[in-house]
Amino acid sequence: MEASVIVTYRCNARCHMCNVWQYPTEPSQEIQPHVLERLPALKFCNITGGEPFIREDIDEIVQVLKKKADRVVISTNGYFTDRILGVARKNPDVGIRISIEGLPSANDELRGLKDGFDHGIRTLLELKRMGLRDIGFGITVSDRNAQDMIELYQLARSMDVEFATAVVHNSYYFHKYDNEIAKKDEVIACFGELIDELLKTRRVKNWFRAYFNYGLINYIRGRPRLLPCEAGTENFFVDPWGEIRPCNGLEEDIWMDSMGNLNDKPFEEIWLSPKAEEVREKVKNCPKNCWMIGTAAPVMKKYIRVPLKWVVKNKIRSIMGKSPCL
């Protein structure tokens, strides 16, 4: 089972695709590290926000979740370099992913952070110099930055760090309901180029990342998911108040629900409750076709034969000098 723990809705960025900064949580109401002790054993845990390094007790949170999960990755905008490096020194086995939305001008405009690109890259370089292995950066693709995607991928390759992608989504989490890809053909072409590059590498992980990006193309086209959504079964989200939700893609106008609050009950009691089953039934009938890494990755692993078939077919095409079948 995999989890994402949203430790705060406070954020120093003013992102174009996310308004969470306009709805910050009160520090006194945010879930405390000792409550996270109630979580079950996990294969993977993502610590996110808001900006998680705003939490003064982020190191304590990391210590708790490291005991719970085989792998822990923190998502950050990379601005608070000293705080990030401090946590990394104590926890060199923890992953760090920095959000970079394009080359310098595009990033700083979309993130609403002066010199945000400089801070993010400096943090990444310092982490690299420290010897951390599980580091990288990612882009949330929109009409405004799709053209920068392949350059950022090449930058990641030259730095020998991971590169992740997402596309703009609407949800209660982001407090955004007007995110959309208008220039579909242009953005899809950019993803096609990235997929082609990923398949050309010798790294198996990149081939499956190509499949994930194919799923993003599918999402942009408005088609059903490539794999079933099993949010609330294979993964879950913990919000800053301790609510256990199936995912972060919910919208109040469509449906939104919680399985229970970790502050009030043990996790097992929440997870096995009738309320949790009710939420899972809603997931089965969810009209949204979100394709986010938090819900896509678990089912890619569970139904490995489906992405594997696509990977084999398109890796052969790549070897033959042909474009991937999209």
Side-chain angles (χ1 to χ4, degrees):
M1 189 155 48
E2 301 187 3
S4 289
V5 180
I6 309 164
V7 295
T8 183
Y9 283 147
R10 290 177 284 155
C11 192
N12 62 315
R14 304 290 184 267
C15 292
H16 178 265
M17 62 286 189
C18 175
N19 288 334
V20 70
W21 57 274
Q22 296 182 24
Y23 302 87
T25 40
E26 290 293 333
S28 61
Q29 297 177 350
E30 292 170 350
I31 193 166
Q32 296 301 300
H34 73 271
V35 177
L36 296 174
E37 295 274 8
R38 299 179 179 179
L39 291 175
L42 300 165
K43 294 179 181 177
F44 172 78
C45 181
N46 175 226
I47 301 172
T48 185
E51 173 48 52
F53 284 94
I54 283 180
R55 289 279 302 245
E56 294 182 0
D57 56 353
I58 185 63
D59 189 58
E60 191 176 349
I61 291 171
V62 171
Q63 295 303 320
V64 170
L65 293 176
K66 276 178 59 178
K67 293 186 291 184
K68 295 292 179 179
D70 296 336
R71 178 173 172 242
V72 174
V73 172
I74 310 172
S75 298
T76 172
N77 58 40
Y79 197 85
F80 300 110
T81 303
D82 291 342
R83 300 182 200 176
I84 297 168
L85 296 180
V87 169
R89 287 189 189 97
K90 296 177 183 177
N91 306 278
D93 55 337
V94 165
I96 305 286
R97 292 293 181 276
I98 296 173
S99 297
I100 295 179
E101 305 307 336
L103 298 176
S105 62
N107 177 81
D108 294 1
E109 177 196 352
L110 290 170
R111 283 266 153 194
L113 274 176
K114 187 178 184 299
D115 301 324
F117 182 89
D118 294 354
H119 281 269
I121 290 297
R122 181 175 292 110
T123 299
L124 198 59
L125 289 169
E126 290 294 331
L127 291 169
K128 183 78 174 174
R129 190 168 70 168
M130 286 172 57
L132 262 74
R133 302 183 64 181
D134 191 0
I135 58 174
F137 59 88
I139 178 175
T140 299
V141 177
S142 67
D143 292 333
R144 301 170 71 172
N145 65 354
Q147 295 295 336
D148 287 357
M149 180 165 48
I150 197 68
E151 283 82 1
L152 288 181
Y153 166 70
Q154 296 294 351
L155 176 61
R157 283 200 68 185
S158 67
M159 296 175 66
D160 193 26
V161 298
E162 304 292 338
F163 181 69
T165 51
V167 297
V168 289
H169 282 72
N170 293 317
S171 80
Y172 83 95
Y173 178 22
F174 308 124
H175 297 276
K176 285 283 285 185
Y177 302 98
D178 59 353
N179 281 326
E180 66 171 339
I181 300 290
K183 302 173 183 176
K184 288 183 170 58
D185 291 342
E186 180 180 313
V187 174
I188 287 171
C190 292
F191 272 110
E193 186 177 358
L194 176 63
I195 290 169
D196 193 33
E197 290 294 322
L198 289 168
L199 289 168
K200 287 177 181 176
T201 69
R202 298 182 179 181
R203 196 175 180 211
V204 175
K205 188 173 183 178
N206 280 347
W207 307 345
F208 283 91
R209 279 194 175 136
Y211 176 83
F212 173 76
N213 282 282
Y214 171 57
L216 291 177
I217 289 177
N218 189 68
Y219 171 75
I220 293 169
R221 286 174 169 155
R223 296 175 180 174
R225 285 173 57 110
L226 299 178
L227 295 168
C229 180
E230 296 189 359
T233 302
E234 295 297 321
N235 67 281
F236 62 90
F237 279 69
V238 185
D239 78 10
W241 296 287
E243 297 291 340
I244 305 292
R245 301 190 186 277
C247 70
N248 67 338
L250 306 177
E251 294 185 43
E252 293 180 359
D253 290 345
I254 299 176
W255 77 276
M256 181 171 166
D257 212 342
S258 167
M259 296 179 173
N261 194 295
L262 199 61
N263 288 291
D264 301 331
K265 299 176 182 178
F267 179 84
E268 289 73 15
E269 185 176 336
I270 295 171
W271 195 247
L272 300 175
S273 68
K275 181 62 177 179
E277 286 304 312
E278 178 185 321
V279 170
R280 292 184 187 108
E281 285 301 312
K282 290 181 179 180
V283 170
K284 291 178 183 177
N285 298 297
C286 182
K288 300 188 69 175
N289 286 312
C290 305
W291 188 256
M292 302 185 194
I293 194 64
T295 53
V299 291
M300 282 177 62
K301 296 168 188 173
K302 182 176 180 179
Y303 302 106
I304 187 65
R305 291 184 180 181
V306 177
L308 179 60
K309 182 179 178 180
W310 184 93
V311 164
V312 170
K313 173 185 175 181
N314 284 284
K315 180 59 182 176
I316 292 172
R317 290 179 64 88
S318 179
I319 292 170
M320 295 173 64
K322 297 181 179 181
S323 298
C325 185
L326 304 178

